[in-house]
Amino acid sequence: MATESISPEVLVVGAGPAGLTAAYNLARHGVRVRLVDRAAGPATTSRALATHARTLEIYDQMDVLAELMPRGRRVEHFTLHQGGRRLVRFDTDYSRLPTRFPFTLMVDQVITEEVLRDAAARLGVTVEWGVTLAAFEQDDGGVTATLRHADGRVEECAAGWLVGCDGGHSTVRKTLELPLLGDSTETWLIADAYVDTDLPQDSIHWLHTGSGTVMLVPFPEAGKWRLLDTADARGDADPDAVAARFERKLGRALGRRTPVARPSWVSVFTIQQRMVPRMRVGRCLVAGDAAHVHSPASGQGLNTGIQDAYNLAWKLAMVVQGTAGADLLDSYEAERVPIGRRLIGSTKRATALVALKNTMMAAALPVGTAVLRTVGPLKRRIERSIMGAMSGLALSYADSPLSRPSRVRRRGPVPGARVSVVTAGSYDAPGWRAFAAELRRPEWILLTGTDVADGVLPEPDSHGGALRVLRVATQGTAPAVLPDPDGKLRADLGLAPEGWLLVRPDGYLAAAGPDLAGADLGALLDELLVRHGHRPPAMTAVHRPHQESAT
């Protein structure tokens, strides 16, 4: 007998990092979410380890960082070795990219997914394992998905929107006929194993072995490493043979015997550098590996997927709840497709550098790194370049349809840039702590200076409750006041006494101005938000489970 139930407003397919991030953040906005995954249960091996600084900022805004941080390992160096010598150690240089998290956190993807699953479950979203998206159709009113359960039952599920986070072989992407453009390059081997070495685990280690390169990436557990071989990817060898190969190569590069235990996981993979030209078709969207796949050389895959999902979730939630028009979703692919395109280029370069197949460059390594060790400014310039490419902190949506360029030159972040431009040392300032707490609430924020007249500010409920107006003041405890007694927050953000900043729910600046007297803020807000938005009535649907036919 068919059972009637309230259908989800959004169906999310895929419970990896991107899918969990999307589902959790949609639920934070009060959206009804259903999350399915074809796997029988949670993953037990970790594809990704590196969590970069911008993603850590996002986790803080998602209010899950406190659970994740203690379970990871901070990495702040990248060390090159050749012929038994340490050639050079690159350090982190975030001097031009202020952040509270000037490091990479190595944490197993298994743990990341566990933390995100628990957070989603607290909001009533649990993963339905063993449920495969078999097909779907969409029209102007919504999406109808055919779901196949592990026991053979087939179900039709109606939803307002479909988000595909179902990986590199995405059913959603294929059904939407979105081409995955790009190419395949090299084949590498990865193994996770304990290594008996005194190499410090606060660094990634790159080793030139004479006939190729090996990388060692630390796990949180003491003595455990991810080993990556860029030259010898024989997949037919058993784990003991893989361990013996790595042991020989590490010994050659480090100049000493380096025992490698039997790996707990071995994988041979061909590096893909591909992306889709679009991320939305009607009521269906893709994110994470369903939209782009990258080389693991700079650890961008998980981070980019998290940032996709975080960018999308608040926009989709506003559309679902009627506080924004559907055209807000056009900004998702307008912002994220160029990011994916740039990452394809940067990860290609990183892949070539890691593999280092140019014999002349390999031979010149000792001389080149000696120069870097003695010419400090050149080394620091390279370190800043590495951080800019890897950390995600330099990412900007300056060209987004949601960004309004400032008419006058000003201090602080520019429209399109992130607003969390604070170092760990400066974070102790009361204003920054208060502002960071506000960024954990997924809403638009209008920050104003102390001298902005109340009469020019929008009414609190004028845009469906999607906008909060906060006055940054030297003192005060009212709900609409951010206390900034030492003025540190205003100085870092470049907020003038009569000025204002409009901050998106994902912590990026949309617009700014020195005063509201000559600014048509009302028109801007009406363009971005639906005035007096209301939540559309819940759709109801009949779920029709039936046995799958033999065909």
Side-chain angles (χ1 to χ4, degrees):
M1 179 177 178
T3 58
E4 185 174 289
S5 62
I6 300 295
S7 70
E9 290 166 312
V10 179
L11 173 64
V12 178
V13 181
L20 287 164
T21 298
Y24 168 62
N25 283 289
L26 285 164
R28 291 178 79 207
H29 285 271
V31 174
R32 293 192 311 277
V33 182
R34 187 173 182 187
L35 176 58
V36 302
D37 194 293
R38 66 186 303 168
T44 57
T45 57
S46 294
R47 301 295 191 227
L49 280 176
T51 302
H52 296 307
R54 177 54 191 160
T55 306
L56 293 174
E57 292 183 350
I58 289 173
Y59 286 156
D60 182 52
Q61 291 169 211
M62 289 168 54
D63 209 14
V64 298
L65 184 62
E67 300 169 63
L68 197 64
M69 187 75 82
R71 304 178 70 178
R73 177 185 294 276
R74 290 172 57 140
V75 169
E76 301 176 79
H77 311 286
F78 187 87
T79 310
L80 277 60
H81 305 262
Q82 184 185 41
R85 298 169 51 201
R86 191 184 87 169
L87 299 178
V88 68
R89 188 187 75 174
F90 290 109
D91 305 314
T92 55
D93 187 339
Y94 291 87
S95 58
R96 298 184 182 177
L97 295 168
T99 179
R100 290 165 52 203
F101 311 108
F103 53 85
T104 293
L105 188 74
M106 292 300 172
V107 58
D108 308 37
Q109 182 175 327
V110 167
I111 292 174
T112 299
E113 292 179 1
E114 176 192 327
V115 168
L116 293 174
R117 274 198 311 275
D118 290 346
R122 289 194 291 270
L123 298 181
V125 181
T126 57
V127 182
E128 298 178 46
W129 298 109
V131 179
T132 301
L133 176 68
F136 64 88
E137 296 179 346
Q138 64 169 315
D139 56 31
D140 291 342
V143 180
T144 302
T146 302
L147 303 177
R148 182 184 302 114
H149 292 255
D151 61 4
R153 291 181 299 114
V154 173
E155 169 196 354
E156 286 186 4
C157 173
W161 300 83
L162 173 66
V163 178
C165 302
D166 47 342
H169 300 288
S170 170
T171 297
V172 176
R173 185 190 68 239
K174 292 174 182 176
T175 304
L176 295 175
E177 298 183 345
L178 292 172
L180 199 58
L181 306 176
D183 54 33
S184 304
T185 52
E186 307 175 28
T187 300
W188 290 359
L189 180 142
I190 283 179
D192 294 346
Y194 286 91
V195 181
D196 187 1
T197 178
D198 59 357
L199 292 175
Q201 282 193 270
D202 64 350
S203 177
I204 295 172
H205 297 272
W206 178 95
L207 306 97
H208 193 262
T209 65
S211 58
T213 61
V214 168
M215 275 181 60
L216 271 71
V217 181
F219 272 86
E221 299 99 313
K224 186 176 182 181
W225 298 83
R226 170 155 293 172
L227 300 100
L228 190 152
D229 192 332
T230 68
D232 190 351
R234 286 174 286 169
D236 55 346
D238 63 34
D240 290 324
V242 170
R245 287 211 312 266
F246 274 115
E247 192 166 315
R248 289 193 299 271
K249 293 187 177 191
L250 295 180
R252 190 180 309 135
L254 297 173
R256 56 188 181 273
R257 183 172 179 270
T258 307
V260 177
R262 180 185 176 92
S264 59
W265 179 61
V266 177
S267 176
V268 175
F269 64 97
T270 299
I271 294 174
Q272 306 280 338
Q273 304 275 17
R274 302 179 187 274
M275 61 172 291
V276 294
R278 299 179 58 195
M279 298 177 77
R280 177 192 175 198
V281 178
R283 288 178 168 264
C284 303
L285 306 104
V286 291
D289 287 353
H292 39 71
V293 288
H294 305 278
S295 162
S298 55
Q300 294 298 320
L302 177 146
N303 293 271
T304 307
I306 294 289
Q307 291 166 28
D308 283 347
Y310 193 59
N311 182 292
L312 171 62
W314 68 269
K315 297 173 180 178
L316 183 53
M318 290 186 66
V319 172
V320 168
Q321 296 177 328
T323 51
D327 56 354
L328 176 63
L329 292 174
D330 294 339
S331 69
Y332 170 58
E333 67 178 24
E335 292 176 351
R336 297 306 300 173
V337 168
I339 296 298
R341 190 177 298 118
R342 288 200 293 272
L343 280 174
I344 291 290
S346 65
T347 54
K348 277 186 176 180
R349 291 190 293 273
T351 300
L353 288 171
V354 167
L356 197 64
K357 293 188 174 179
N358 186 308
T359 55
M360 292 183 63
M361 286 182 63
L365 267 178
V367 175
T369 53
V371 171
L372 291 177
R373 289 196 305 270
T374 56
V375 184
L378 176 59
K379 180 172 178 285
R380 288 191 292 274
R381 180 178 176 182
I382 292 174
E383 289 167 344
R384 288 195 296 269
S385 177
I386 292 171
M387 292 303 99
M390 288 182 55
S391 67
L393 299 171
L395 182 155
S396 173
Y397 299 132
D399 296 329
S400 167
L402 304 184
S403 299
R404 300 296 184 274
S406 297
R407 296 179 182 176
V408 296
R409 192 181 182 94
R410 56 181 299 277
R411 285 190 59 190
V414 298
R418 63 188 238 285
V419 295
S420 49
V421 287
V422 59
T423 63
S426 297
Y427 180 65
D428 287 334
W432 269 112
R433 284 196 173 273
F435 186 42
E438 295 295 338
L439 288 175
R440 296 184 190 112
R441 296 177 58 180
E443 299 160 333
W444 286 84
I445 299 173
L446 178 63
L447 282 184
T448 71
T450 53
D451 295 344
V452 173
D454 291 334
V456 300
L457 295 175
E459 293 296 324
D461 296 325
S462 62
H463 293 85
L467 175 71
R468 280 181 297 121
V469 180
L470 299 171
R471 190 187 303 273
V472 183
T474 303
Q475 57 187 353
T477 58
V481 171
L482 267 183
D484 184 34
D486 58 3
K488 178 66 175 170
L489 176 65
R490 282 166 291 174
D492 289 346
L493 294 181
L495 181 61
E498 296 181 350
W500 57 276
L501 305 175
L502 182 61
V503 182
R504 299 166 21 155
D506 56 0
Y508 287 88
L509 186 65
D515 63 78
L516 283 172
D520 193 356
L521 182 61
L524 173 60
L525 291 173
D526 288 347
E527 182 181 345
L528 297 173
L529 304 169
V530 174
R531 183 171 287 276
H532 298 299
H534 65 280
R535 189 176 180 84
M539 295 187 300
T540 59
V542 176
H543 291 194
R544 302 181 180 85
H546 59 273
Q547 293 296 322
E548 186 177 17
S549 67
T551 58

Coordinates of all heavy atoms in Angstrom, one line a residue, residues 338-385:
P338 N 34.6 29.3 -13.1 CA 35.9 29.8 -13.3 C 36.9 29.3 -12.2 O 38.1 29.2 -12.5 CB 35.7 31.3 -13.1 CG 34.2 31.5 -13.5 CD 33.5 30.3 -12.9
I339 N 36.5 29.1 -11.0 CA 37.4 28.5 -10.0 C 37.9 27.2 -10.4 O 39.1 26.9 -10.3 CB 36.6 28.4 -8.6 CG1 36.2 29.8 -8.1 CG2 37.5 27.7 -7.6 CD1 37.4 30.8 -7.8
G340 N 37.0 26.3 -10.9 CA 37.4 25.0 -11.4 C 38.3 25.1 -12.5 O 39.3 24.3 -12.6
R341 N 38.1 26.1 -13.4 CA 39.0 26.2 -14.6 C 40.4 26.6 -14.1 O 41.4 26.1 -14.6 CB 38.4 27.3 -15.5 CG 39.1 27.3 -16.9 CD 38.4 28.3 -17.8 NE 37.0 27.9 -18.0 CZ 35.9 28.7 -17.7 NH1 36.1 29.8 -17.1 NH2 34.7 28.2 -18.0
R342 N 40.5 27.5 -13.2 CA 41.8 27.9 -12.7 C 42.5 26.8 -12.0 O 43.7 26.6 -12.1 CB 41.7 29.2 -11.8 CG 41.3 30.4 -12.5 CD 41.7 31.7 -11.7 NE 40.8 31.8 -10.5 CZ 39.7 32.4 -10.4 NH1 39.2 32.9 -11.6 NH2 39.0 32.5 -9.3
L343 N 41.7 26.0 -11.2 CA 42.3 24.9 -10.5 C 42.9 23.8 -11.4 O 43.9 23.2 -11.2 CB 41.3 24.3 -9.6 CG 41.1 25.0 -8.2 CD1 39.9 24.4 -7.5 CD2 42.4 25.0 -7.4
I344 N 42.2 23.6 -12.6 CA 42.7 22.7 -13.6 C 44.1 23.1 -14.0 O 45.1 22.3 -14.0 CB 41.8 22.6 -14.8 CG1 40.5 21.9 -14.5 CG2 42.5 21.9 -15.9 CD1 40.5 20.5 -14.2
G345 N 44.3 24.4 -14.2 CA 45.6 24.9 -14.6 C 46.7 24.7 -13.5 O 47.8 24.3 -13.7
S346 N 46.3 25.1 -12.3 CA 47.3 25.1 -11.2 C 47.6 23.6 -10.8 O 48.8 23.3 -10.5 CB 46.7 25.9 -10.0 OG 45.6 25.2 -9.4
T347 N 46.6 22.7 -10.8 CA 46.9 21.4 -10.5 C 47.7 20.7 -11.5 O 48.5 19.8 -11.2 CB 45.6 20.6 -10.1 OG1 44.7 20.7 -11.2 CG2 45.0 21.1 -8.9
K348 N 47.6 21.1 -12.8 CA 48.4 20.5 -13.9 C 49.9 20.9 -13.6 O 50.8 20.1 -13.8 CB 48.0 21.0 -15.2 CG 46.8 20.3 -15.9 CD 46.6 20.8 -17.3 CE 45.5 19.9 -18.0 NZ 45.2 20.4 -19.3
R349 N 50.1 22.2 -13.3 CA 51.5 22.6 -13.0 C 52.0 21.9 -11.8 O 53.2 21.5 -11.8 CB 51.5 24.1 -12.8 CG 51.2 24.9 -14.1 CD 51.5 26.4 -13.9 NE 50.6 27.0 -12.9 CZ 49.4 27.5 -13.3 NH1 49.0 27.4 -14.6 NH2 48.6 28.1 -12.4
A350 N 51.2 21.7 -10.7 CA 51.7 21.0 -9.5 C 52.0 19.6 -9.8 O 53.0 19.0 -9.3 CB 50.6 21.1 -8.4
T351 N 51.2 18.9 -10.7 CA 51.4 17.5 -11.0 C 52.8 17.4 -11.7 O 53.6 16.5 -11.4 CB 50.3 17.0 -12.0 OG1 49.1 17.1 -11.2 CG2 50.6 15.6 -12.4
A352 N 53.1 18.3 -12.7 CA 54.3 18.3 -13.4 C 55.5 18.5 -12.5 O 56.6 17.8 -12.6 CB 54.3 19.3 -14.5
L353 N 55.4 19.4 -11.5 CA 56.5 19.7 -10.6 C 56.7 18.5 -9.6 O 57.8 18.1 -9.3 CB 56.1 20.9 -9.8 CG 56.2 22.2 -10.6 CD1 55.7 23.4 -9.7 CD2 57.7 22.5 -11.0
V354 N 55.6 17.9 -9.2 CA 55.8 16.7 -8.3 C 56.4 15.6 -9.0 O 57.3 14.9 -8.4 CB 54.4 16.3 -7.7 CG1 54.5 15.0 -7.0 CG2 53.9 17.4 -6.7
A355 N 56.0 15.3 -10.2 CA 56.5 14.1 -10.9 C 58.0 14.4 -11.4 O 58.8 13.5 -11.4 CB 55.6 13.8 -12.1
L356 N 58.3 15.6 -11.8 CA 59.6 16.1 -12.2 C 60.3 15.0 -13.1 O 61.3 14.4 -12.8 CB 60.5 16.3 -10.9 CG 61.8 17.1 -11.2 CD1 61.5 18.5 -11.7 CD2 62.7 17.1 -10.0
K357 N 59.7 14.9 -14.3 CA 60.3 14.0 -15.3 C 61.3 14.6 -16.2 O 61.9 13.9 -17.0 CB 59.1 13.4 -16.1 CG 58.2 12.5 -15.3 CD 57.2 11.8 -16.1 CE 56.4 10.8 -15.3 NZ 55.3 10.1 -16.1
N358 N 61.6 15.9 -16.0 CA 62.6 16.6 -16.8 C 64.0 16.3 -16.1 O 64.2 16.8 -15.0 CB 62.3 18.1 -16.8 CG 63.3 18.8 -17.7 OD1 64.5 18.7 -17.6 ND2 62.7 19.6 -18.6
T359 N 64.8 15.5 -16.8 CA 66.1 15.1 -16.2 C 67.0 16.3 -15.9 O 67.8 16.3 -15.0 CB 66.8 14.0 -17.1 OG1 66.9 14.6 -18.4 CG2 65.9 12.7 -17.1
M360 N 67.0 17.3 -16.8 CA 67.8 18.4 -16.6 C 67.4 19.2 -15.4 O 68.3 19.6 -14.6 CB 67.8 19.3 -17.9 CG 68.4 18.7 -19.1 SD 68.4 19.9 -20.5 CE 69.4 21.2 -19.9
M361 N 66.1 19.3 -15.1 CA 65.7 20.0 -13.9 C 66.1 19.2 -12.7 O 66.5 19.8 -11.7 CB 64.2 20.2 -14.0 CG 63.7 21.3 -15.0 SD 61.9 21.5 -14.9 CE 61.7 22.1 -13.2
A362 N 65.9 17.9 -12.8 CA 66.3 17.1 -11.6 C 67.8 17.2 -11.3 O 68.2 17.3 -10.1 CB 66.0 15.6 -11.9
A363 N 68.6 17.3 -12.3 CA 70.1 17.4 -12.1 C 70.4 18.8 -11.5 O 71.4 18.9 -10.8 CB 70.8 17.2 -13.4
A364 N 69.6 19.8 -11.8 CA 69.9 21.1 -11.4 C 69.3 21.4 -10.0 O 69.5 22.5 -9.4 CB 69.3 22.2 -12.3
L365 N 68.6 20.4 -9.4 CA 68.0 20.7 -8.1 C 68.9 21.1 -7.0 O 68.6 22.1 -6.3 CB 67.3 19.4 -7.6 CG 65.8 19.2 -8.0 CD1 65.3 17.9 -7.5 CD2 65.0 20.3 -7.4
P366 N 70.1 20.4 -6.8 CA 71.0 20.9 -5.7 C 71.4 22.3 -5.8 O 71.4 23.1 -4.8 CB 72.1 19.9 -5.8 CG 71.6 18.7 -6.5 CD 70.6 19.2 -7.5
V367 N 71.7 22.8 -7.1 CA 72.2 24.1 -7.2 C 71.0 25.1 -7.0 O 71.1 26.1 -6.3 CB 72.8 24.3 -8.7 CG1 73.1 25.8 -8.9 CG2 74.0 23.4 -8.8
G368 N 69.9 24.8 -7.6 CA 68.7 25.7 -7.5 C 68.2 25.9 -6.1 O 67.9 27.0 -5.6
T369 N 68.2 24.8 -5.3 CA 67.7 24.9 -3.9 C 68.8 25.5 -3.0 O 68.4 26.2 -2.0 CB 67.4 23.5 -3.4 OG1 68.5 22.6 -3.6 CG2 66.2 22.9 -4.1
A370 N 70.1 25.4 -3.4 CA 71.1 26.1 -2.6 C 70.9 27.6 -2.8 O 71.1 28.4 -1.8 CB 72.5 25.7 -3.1
V371 N 70.5 28.1 -4.0 CA 70.3 29.5 -4.2 C 69.1 29.9 -3.3 O 69.1 31.0 -2.6 CB 70.0 29.8 -5.6 CG1 69.5 31.2 -5.8 CG2 71.2 29.5 -6.5
L372 N 68.0 29.1 -3.2 CA 66.9 29.5 -2.4 C 67.2 29.6 -1.0 O 66.7 30.4 -0.2 CB 65.8 28.4 -2.6 CG 65.1 28.4 -4.0 CD1 64.1 27.3 -4.1 CD2 64.4 29.7 -4.3
R373 N 68.1 28.7 -0.5 CA 68.5 28.7 0.9 C 69.2 30.0 1.3 O 69.1 30.4 2.4 CB 69.4 27.5 1.3 CG 68.6 26.2 1.3 CD 69.4 25.1 2.0 NE 70.8 24.9 1.5 CZ 71.1 24.1 0.5 NH1 70.2 23.4 -0.1 NH2 72.3 24.0 0.0
T374 N 69.9 30.6 0.3 CA 70.7 31.7 0.6 C 70.0 33.1 0.3 O 70.4 34.1 0.8 CB 72.1 31.7 -0.1 OG1 71.8 31.5 -1.5 CG2 72.9 30.5 0.4
V375 N 69.1 33.0 -0.6 CA 68.4 34.2 -1.1 C 67.0 34.2 -0.4 O 66.0 33.7 -1.0 CB 68.3 34.3 -2.6 CG1 67.6 35.7 -3.0 CG2 69.7 34.2 -3.2
G376 N 66.9 34.7 0.8 CA 65.7 34.7 1.6 C 64.5 35.3 0.9 O 63.4 34.7 0.8
P377 N 64.6 36.5 0.3 CA 63.4 37.1 -0.4 C 62.8 36.2 -1.5 O 61.6 36.2 -1.6 CB 63.9 38.4 -0.9 CG 65.1 38.7 0.0 CD 65.7 37.4 0.3
L378 N 63.7 35.6 -2.2 CA 63.2 34.7 -3.3 C 62.5 33.5 -2.7 O 61.4 33.1 -3.2 CB 64.4 34.2 -4.2 CG 64.0 33.3 -5.3 CD1 63.0 33.9 -6.3 CD2 65.3 32.8 -6.1
K379 N 63.0 32.9 -1.7 CA 62.4 31.8 -1.1 C 61.0 32.2 -0.5 O 60.0 31.5 -0.7 CB 63.2 31.2 0.1 CG 62.7 30.0 0.8 CD 63.7 29.4 1.7 CE 63.2 28.3 2.5 NZ 62.3 28.7 3.6
R380 N 60.9 33.3 0.2 CA 59.6 33.8 0.7 C 58.6 34.1 -0.4 O 57.4 33.9 -0.2 CB 59.9 35.0 1.6 CG 60.6 34.7 2.9 CD 60.5 35.8 3.9 NE 61.3 36.9 3.4 CZ 62.6 37.1 3.7 NH1 63.3 36.1 4.3 NH2 63.3 38.1 3.2
R381 N 59.1 34.6 -1.5 CA 58.2 34.8 -2.6 C 57.6 33.5 -3.1 O 56.4 33.5 -3.4 CB 59.0 35.5 -3.7 CG 58.1 35.9 -4.9 CD 58.9 36.6 -6.0 NE 58.1 36.8 -7.2 CZ 58.6 37.4 -8.3 NH1 59.9 37.8 -8.3 NH2 57.9 37.6 -9.4
I382 N 58.4 32.5 -3.2 CA 57.9 31.2 -3.6 C 56.9 30.6 -2.6 O 55.8 30.1 -2.9 CB 59.0 30.2 -3.9 CG1 59.9 30.7 -5.1 CG2 58.5 28.8 -4.1 CD1 61.1 29.8 -5.3
E383 N 57.2 30.8 -1.3 CA 56.3 30.3 -0.3 C 55.0 31.0 -0.3 O 53.9 30.4 -0.2 CB 57.0 30.5 1.1 CG 58.2 29.6 1.3 CD 59.1 30.0 2.5 OE1 58.9 31.1 3.0 OE2 59.9 29.1 3.0
R384 N 55.0 32.3 -0.5 CA 53.7 33.1 -0.6 C 52.9 32.6 -1.9 O 51.7 32.5 -1.8 CB 54.0 34.6 -0.7 CG 54.5 35.2 0.6 CD 54.4 36.7 0.6 NE 55.3 37.3 -0.4 CZ 56.5 37.7 -0.2 NH1 57.0 37.5 1.0 NH2 57.2 38.2 -1.1
S385 N 53.6 32.3 -2.9 CA 53.0 31.8 -4.2 C 52.3 30.5 -3.9 O 51.2 30.2 -4.3 CB 54.0 31.8 -5.3 OG 53.4 31.2 -6.5

